[in-house]
């Protein structure tokens, strides 16, 4: 039987600090380093696309605040994101963090990857350590060190086995994400070649294609919201898709919807079956997604009950014209993409044979992306279910082949 120890997080943490107040610049040079912020912290991993550049010639970065493989990062502030945990397994370029994140490094007593997963297991608890007024909350680092109690096997070999098991799950999820990104890029490149550059037709629009507006070729409808929405929200029932569910989603398919509404709200909203294409029209407008589960959509979404285009074609089309749509949207607080803007958007309808040939190529790509999204969702659910049990000693790992 493996012996387990318990330590307060502060006892097994050799270094804990907030990040720097950056001096941002736009261009990379010999004096710049990458700076991660809370937007970079997504679903247990770091996305460098949201990072920015800091000029070290204006403000030096302490050596201990330059990130290393194995470092654990926690969002210290951010509405809905304070307490979110991620771990760095590699650092591809010199990188630090800003003051909205906390950096943690373990002592020699505990394997660094195990340490990261142990902290992740306490994310719900860590989120409750945010203190302050509404919109200005921040994780209390003293409470973080004292109230988070980590369990770990005494033998480092067992720690490493548990960590490797969990890491293998996350690596598979990452591989699926990379394959999906590559497939989507291939589909986008084909769409551009055929319907923007007209390469198969020597750079010219074929005479048989019809010039019109999107509303001529597709029905464009808007979702609906029962109000006040607080009366209809529930822990279970009909899924209720929010735009925040998809803003950081790196796949065309929506499978994880957090909120629900009661059936009484069905009269004032729109219920869509899985496979439906949707497009955000407010807050963060112009995001196309395909539902992989049944869901209700509020009036911040548009949907397309009938169309001469396939959902895959429309998805790629909306990705191409998104910036144009954002520029046309308006709103005093949030951008709002009015239905009429989309209905009147200039659009060309290719002939049926061309559309059929295109769909025959891209449909298998989208099907593969859908299958890999589903697999990753199941893997993440398995990881999240096993994580607290593996990190607490509830599962006896001595007889398990990890």
């Amino acid at each position: 039987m493996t012996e387990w120890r318990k330590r307060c997080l502060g006892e097994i943490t050799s270094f804990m600090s907030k990040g720097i107040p950056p001096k941002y610049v736009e261009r990379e040079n010999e004096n710049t380093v990458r700076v991660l912020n809370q937007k970079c912290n997504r679903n247990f991993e770091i996305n460098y696309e949201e990072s920015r550049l800091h000029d070290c010639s204006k403000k030096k970065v302490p050596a201990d605040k330059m990130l290393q493989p194995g470092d654990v990062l926690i969002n210290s502030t951010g509405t809905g994101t304070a307490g979110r945990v991620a771990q760095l397994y590699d650092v591809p370029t010199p990188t630090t963090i800003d003051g909205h994140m906390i950096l943690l490094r373990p002592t020699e007593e505990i394997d660094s990857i195990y340490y990261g997963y142990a902290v992740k297991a306490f994310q719900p608890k860590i989120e409750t350590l945010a203190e302050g007024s509404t919109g200005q909350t921040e994780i209390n680092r003293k409470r973080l060190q004292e109230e988070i109690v980590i369990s770990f096997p005494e033998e480092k070999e067992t720690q490493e086995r548990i960590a490797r098991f969990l890491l293998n799950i996350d690596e598979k999820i990452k591989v699926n994400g990379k394959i999906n990104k590559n497939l989507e890029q291939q589909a986008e490149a084909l769409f551009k070649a055929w319907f923007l550059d007209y390469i198969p037709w020597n750079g010219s629009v074929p005479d048989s294609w019809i010039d019109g507006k999107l509303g001529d070729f597709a029905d464009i409808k808007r979702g609906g919201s029962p109000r006040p929405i607080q009366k209809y929200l529930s822990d279970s029932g009909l899924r209720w898709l929010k735009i925040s569910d998809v803003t950081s989603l790196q796949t065309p398919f929506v499978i994880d919807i957090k909120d629900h509404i009661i059936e009484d709200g069905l009269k004032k909203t729109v219920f869509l079956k899985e496979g439906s294409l949707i497009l955000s029209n407010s807050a963060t407008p112009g995001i196309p997604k395909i539902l992989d589960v049944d869901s209700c959509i509020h009036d911040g979404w548009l949907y397309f009950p009938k169309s001469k285009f396939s959902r895959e074609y429309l998805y790629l089309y909306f990705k191409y014209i998104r910036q144009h749509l954002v520029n046309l949207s308006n709103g005093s607080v949030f951008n709002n993409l009015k239905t009429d803007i989309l209905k009147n958007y200039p659009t060309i309808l290719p002939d049926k044979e061309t559309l059929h040939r295109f769909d025959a190529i891209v449909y298998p790509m989208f099907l593969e992306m859908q299958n890999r999204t589903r697999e990753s969702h199941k893997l993440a659910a398995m990881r999240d279910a096993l994580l607290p049990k593996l990190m607490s000693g509830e599962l006896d790992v001595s007889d398990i082949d990890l």
Side-chain angles (χ1 to χ4, degrees):
M1 177 72 72
T2 302
E3 295 295 326
W4 285 69
R5 299 174 179 174
K6 284 190 176 182
R7 297 280 191 277
C8 293
L9 182 60
E11 295 179 288
I12 54 171
T13 299
S14 63
F15 181 74
M16 179 183 294
S17 175
K18 287 181 62 174
I20 64 166
K23 302 294 182 182
Y24 286 124
V25 291
E26 296 301 320
R27 296 182 181 275
E28 189 170 8
N29 58 55
E30 66 276 6
N31 294 317
T32 59
V33 296
R34 282 277 154 197
V35 180
L36 303 179
N37 56 60
Q38 69 266 48
K39 292 181 180 179
C40 301
N41 187 353
R42 298 176 177 175
N43 301 321
F44 287 175
E45 62 179 287
I46 293 297
N47 186 324
Y48 277 82
E49 291 179 5
E50 298 282 356
S51 65
R52 298 181 64 182
L53 291 168
H54 165 74
D55 189 345
C56 294
S57 66
K58 295 181 179 179
K59 185 177 181 63
K60 290 185 177 180
V61 181
D64 54 10
K65 292 190 180 183
M66 292 300 295
L67 300 182
Q68 306 170 11
D71 283 349
V72 174
L73 306 179
I74 300 177
N75 288 2
S76 61
T77 64
T79 303
T81 67
R84 186 177 291 175
V85 179
Q87 186 166 34
L88 292 170
Y89 302 116
D90 56 30
V91 183
T93 186
T95 307
T96 187
I97 57 173
D98 71 8
H100 299 287
M101 302 187 86
I102 303 170
L103 166 61
L104 299 90
R105 291 193 185 112
T107 64
E108 292 294 325
E109 188 176 11
I110 189 168
D111 174 74
S112 62
I113 305 301
Y114 182 97
Y115 174 87
Y117 280 109
V119 177
K120 289 175 188 177
F122 279 93
Q123 179 168 303
K125 169 67 175 177
I126 295 172
E127 290 171 352
T128 69
L129 303 182
E131 300 176 349
S133 59
T134 303
Q136 299 294 323
T137 58
E138 183 168 355
I139 298 296
N140 184 313
R141 279 182 286 164
K142 186 174 186 296
R143 293 181 62 194
L144 180 65
Q145 295 180 68
E146 295 176 354
E147 296 182 21
I148 303 302
V149 179
I150 302 296
S151 299
F152 56 97
E154 186 175 0
E155 297 175 356
K156 258 199 169 181
E157 181 182 351
T158 306
Q159 297 174 26
E160 292 168 0
R161 287 174 60 232
I162 294 172
R164 177 55 58 184
F165 172 77
L166 293 166
L167 185 59
N168 285 342
I169 296 176
D170 279 335
E171 289 297 329
K172 176 58 178 175
I173 292 173
K174 286 182 182 179
V175 168
N176 283 343
K178 289 178 181 178
I179 292 173
N180 278 0
K181 183 177 182 179
N182 180 266
L183 287 169
E184 190 167 351
Q185 288 174 341
Q186 289 182 51
E188 290 173 356
L190 184 66
F191 180 89
K192 181 178 184 297
W194 282 30
F195 305 116
L196 304 178
D197 300 331
Y198 312 108
I199 289 176
W201 302 277
N202 299 318
S204 299
V205 180
D207 294 336
S208 60
W209 294 15
I210 301 173
D211 199 3
K213 302 173 182 176
L214 184 58
D216 299 332
F217 312 128
D219 290 345
I220 304 170
K221 304 290 185 181
R222 192 176 182 181
S225 299
R227 290 186 171 88
I229 187 59
Q230 288 75 17
K231 286 181 58 177
Y232 297 90
L233 291 174
S234 172
D235 292 334
S236 61
L238 301 165
R239 294 183 187 89
W240 178 248
L241 180 66
K242 297 194 299 186
I243 293 175
S244 59
D245 288 324
V246 308
T247 48
S248 62
L249 197 61
Q250 302 296 304
T251 170
F253 295 93
V254 181
I255 193 170
D256 188 17
I257 299 176
K258 299 177 178 64
D259 291 339
H260 298 79
I261 60 171
I262 59 177
E263 289 192 9
D264 286 350
L266 194 55
K267 298 175 184 177
K268 299 181 180 180
T269 186
V270 173
F271 176 81
L272 295 180
K273 300 290 288 182
E274 64 173 281
S276 301
L277 178 74
I278 53 175
L279 182 75
S280 62
N281 77 328
S282 66
T284 310
I287 300 177
K289 292 295 174 186
I290 299 170
L291 292 177
D292 200 32
V293 289
D294 300 345
S295 182
C296 296
I297 58 167
H298 57 62
D299 52 10
W301 294 102
L302 302 177
Y303 67 105
F304 312 89
K306 293 182 181 179
S307 172
K308 293 185 181 297
F309 303 106
S310 68
R311 66 180 188 182
E312 290 78 18
Y313 182 102
L314 276 181
Y315 175 87
L316 296 166
Y317 181 59
F318 288 143
K319 289 207 72 175
Y320 168 67
I321 67 172
R322 185 186 177 197
Q323 190 55 54
H324 303 170
L325 296 176
V326 170
N327 294 340
L328 292 170
S329 62
N330 59 78
S332 57
V333 179
F334 297 111
N335 284 343
N336 185 21
L337 178 61
K338 294 181 178 179
T339 306
D340 285 346
I341 292 175
L342 209 59
K343 287 181 177 179
N344 293 315
Y345 196 87
T347 301
I348 296 174
L349 177 67
D351 61 80
K352 289 183 179 180
E353 181 183 351
T354 298
L355 288 175
H356 179 75
R357 286 168 49 215
F358 177 76
D359 291 341
I361 297 172
V362 300
Y363 177 77
M365 296 180 182
F366 276 79
L367 183 60
E368 180 68 14
M369 285 188 277
Q370 183 179 34
N371 289 335
R372 289 187 176 273
T373 300
R374 289 174 175 177
E375 181 183 48
S376 292
H377 184 260
K378 291 178 180 177
L379 287 170
M382 180 177 70
R383 176 202 63 203
D384 294 346
L386 290 175
L387 186 57
K389 296 180 179 181
L390 287 170
M391 295 292 119
S392 65
E394 181 180 342
L395 285 180
D396 181 8
V397 299
S398 58
D399 295 325
I400 299 177
D401 182 13
L402 297 177

